[in-house]
Amino acid sequence: MEGQSFQAGFLWGASTAAYQIEGAVHAEGRGACVWDTFTAQGRIMDGTNAFVACDHYHRWREDIALMKTAGFNTYRFSIAWPRIFPTGSGTVNERGLGFYERLIDALLAEGITPMPCLFHWDLPQPLEDAGGWQGREIIAPFAAYAQAVVRRLGDRVKHWMMLNEPNVVAIFGYGVGEHAPGHTLGEQGILRALHHQNLAQGAALRAIDSERSDLTLGTVLNLQPCRAESDKPGDLAAAARWDAVWNRVTLDGLLRGQIPALLEDKMDEFVLPGDRAAIQGPIDLLGINYYSRMTMKEEAGRPFNVGWGDAGCDRWTFMAWPVQPDGLYDLLISLKADYGNPAVFIAENGAAYDDQVDEDGAVHDDDRVAFLRDHLASVARAAADGCQVKGYLCWSLLDNFEWAYGLSKRFGIVRVDYDTLKRTPKDSYRYFADVIRTGRL
Ligand code: FCB
């Protein structure tokens, strides 16, 4: 069926993030990050932490074997900034860099393209203490970190992603306090954190480009088509405001060098002359994380006077996120129509379900199989309709530490038993491997 739409060279694999899988938070000179602090403050819902997580730091060979068996040709992971610069800047911690060097060499030996992401939320604590993403002081250390790792690994690693989901960092980390570093700074805090990530990303792209010119550079945005809960003017305006905050500050900055008109007044306070040029790419490849649409309504007392509306959906994941595969198709088509059809890939897509281990020890996760199939069908349809979709990486290879939810939400196509750390491929793993092998859904 639609399988034929996945062109030769399509990137197939999974994404992970350092903090969510590595554990070993004190190993080999790693410094503290904001998520270590946040968990130590007891802010994780199930009371767990990521100090061991999947112990990937010691079990990475086994994890690469799982990728190889599934037929992956690509693996997106993140480099932990506090492993490379334990205090955020200064001298490279060779032991931390060595870990990624070994991982990368092993991936390459298996024919798997490594795609590191430079910042998946584990901000070194000293940089947060100096203001974190609220100030411009963070721009130079991020660019220096990017340049340092590319100087060392750029001979072998050709695909680099800068940030992961700056909107989530800004809103949940600085706006409403549900993620590390846990600030409740409201609208201005959110917009500042967004703008400074945009600037840091631009600076990193330029620093890397000055180092080598043979790389494919990009970043990863969480994009969710926003719609209003009703046709009431208040709800329609709320959905447009949220679209500007959630999707367009990053997208318009990166691809157009613009600040969304709806937010210009609020952002004038800290957007300086020259910033618009500095936040514009150029990038070669845009990573998209897609989980669902967003249905919004007017709600006083919340940032931007926007609240979560009723999604009117009859399929839900264990995160209580609606299952809306058609939203992925619409998103890809809108990027083609409104942003000049950039080269994109799905950098994350997947679902948490309340997996049960059967008597035979297997996990028959039919709901996750259906989720993957339906979203892959949307990708195939968008590609058939002319979108430049270059790949699909599921979230995630392993069950892992799901941020504020701790270990209670399982997104893996491979189960992790957190007592024994044993890995067990689920039915979804076999399904995904079949799709990769046959190109059929
Ligand atoms: C995304 C994050 C990723 C993971 C998934 C479920 O927002 O990028 O780390 O937590 O959600």
Side-chain angles (χ1 to χ4, degrees), residues 20 120-121 164-165 222 289 291 348 395 402-403 411:
Q20 295 179 276
H120 200 133
W121 305 359
N164 179 76
E165 301 189 352
N222 175 322
N289 294 354
Y291 289 93
E348 289 182 23
W395 183 271
E402 178 48 35
W403 307 114
F411 274 89

Side-chain angles (χ1 to χ4, degrees), residues 21-24 52-60 63 421 423:
I21 63 168
E22 285 178 359
V52 175
C54 309
D55 196 32
H56 171 78
Y57 198 78
H58 300 111
R59 292 166 198 255
W60 54 272
D63 296 335
L421 296 167
R423 277 83 163 129

